[in-house]
Amino acid sequence: PLQASGGGLVQPGGSLRLSCAASGSIFRIYDMGWYRQAPGKQRMFVARITRDGSTNYADSVKGRFTVSRDNAKNTVYLEMNSLESEDTAVYYCNCNVRQIGVLRPNDYWGQGTLVTVSS
């Protein structure tokens, strides 16, 4: 399973750091990333990082958010700066994981962590 943490209430212009740790019988984790779902809207892509560190971002967060990972800890992070009210959403981590004894990787989702940007 994936366990996300780090959400909370922050003022506009503030910062937060989200973490998502994978656990279980893991052979290898490939892509790791983040999506978000604002109230009344569909879940949207935020950022993604490959195993070798290549990244890509949604246009709305470029220059403000940074995705990173620690392969030794099976953890992905999302550093969020200059937060805006439009960033308010439930943030979900998503990881492509190959488990021990399984030939192909599968996508897994974390439980979501709420980020609220408000004064």
Side-chain angles (χ1 to χ4, degrees), residues 15-98:
S15 299
L16 276 177
R17 188 192 196 205
L18 306 182
S19 300
C20 178
S23 62
S25 300
I26 297 170
F27 176 76
R28 181 164 294 164
I29 303 177
Y30 297 95
D31 288 5
M32 306 179 84
W34 294 91
Y35 289 71
R36 66 186 182 186
Q37 187 167 16
K41 296 187 177 181
Q42 291 186 332
R43 191 174 299 187
M44 303 291 289
F45 168 77
V46 176
R48 197 156 192 88
I49 183 168
T50 65
R51 185 168 178 82
D52 64 3
S54 298
T55 59
N56 63 302
Y57 297 90
D59 287 344
S60 59
V61 307
K62 280 181 182 176
R64 300 188 298 121
F65 290 12
T66 302
V67 62
S68 60
R69 64 190 285 171
D70 185 332
N71 290 333
K73 295 181 178 179
N74 293 330
T75 300
V76 61
Y77 305 96
L78 186 67
E79 186 76 34
M80 305 184 293
N81 298 312
S82 302
L83 283 161
E84 305 166 351
S85 58
E86 292 77 15
D87 296 316
T88 294
V90 176
Y91 284 71
Y92 297 90
C93 56
N94 171 261
C95 298
N96 189 244
V97 180
R98 181 181 169 187

